[in-house]
Every structure is written in structure tokens, then in C-alpha cells.
């Protein structure tokens, strides 16, 4: 059913879960290492997130690079 504006209503777009599962497949992980790295971040990634969450460090990292900005604020 079309709405007066000419667009489809959200009810006409919905599909059943069983039908969606027929053509949308979850990506399967190939090895235990992929499971591990999904849940455990590397120290470098943790440092980058810490810098990104602190606006002055994030801004400075765009100007001079991540390593210098991180050392300036947290090193």
C-alpha cells in the first residue's frame, strides 16, 4: 500500500525472519584466532581508542600523528 506522498509504508517492507534468513547469511569465523581477536583488543588499539575519546588528543593526532599526540597527553 502506498501512502499519499507516494512512498511505501513500513509495513509493506517488513519480511518474516524465516524468509530473511534464506538470503542473509552470517559470516562464519575461520579460526579460533578470529574469535580471540574479536574480544581482545591489541594494546595499540586500546591506546588509539583512549586518544580518540579525549578530544584534545584526537585533534592533535590529526595534526601531528597518533604517536606524538598520545605521548603528549598520556605518555
Amino acid at each position: 500500500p502506498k501512502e499519499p506522498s507516494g512512498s511505501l509504508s513500513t509495513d509493506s517492507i517488513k519480511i518474516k525472519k524465516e524468509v530473511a534468513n534464506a538470503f542473509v547469511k552470517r559470516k562464519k569465523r575461520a579460526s579460533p584466532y578470529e574469535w580471540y581477536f574479536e574480544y581482545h583488543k591489541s594494546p595499540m588499539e586500546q591506546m588509539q581508542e583512549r586518544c580518540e575519546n579525549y578530544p584534545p588528543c584526537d585533534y592533535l593526532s590529526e595534526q601531528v600523528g597518533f604517536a606524538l599526540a598520545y605521548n603528549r597527553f598520556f605518555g
Side-chain angles (χ1 to χ4, degrees):
K2 289 198 172 201
E3 294 180 355
S5 63
S7 63
L8 294 173
S9 68
T10 57
D11 293 334
S12 65
I13 297 173
K14 294 180 183 175
I15 58 175
K16 293 181 182 176
K17 189 184 339 180
E18 296 80 20
V19 176
N21 287 337
F23 63 90
V24 177
K25 300 289 182 189
R26 284 179 42 189
K27 180 182 173 188
K28 298 196 179 195
R29 287 160 187 82
S31 69
Y33 295 105
E34 291 182 29
W35 283 100
Y36 176 82
F37 288 119
E38 182 176 334
Y39 294 105
H40 302 284
K41 296 178 182 175
S42 69
M44 180 61 77
E45 188 174 356
Q46 291 174 355
M47 290 168 46
Q48 287 175 336
E49 288 182 355
R50 185 176 182 194
C51 187
E52 288 173 358
N53 290 334
Y54 186 58
C57 183
D58 189 35
Y59 177 75
L60 187 61
S61 71
E62 293 175 4
Q63 307 300 317
V64 298
F66 163 72
L68 292 174
Y70 186 85
N71 286 335
R72 165 88 159 76
F73 292 101
F74 304 108

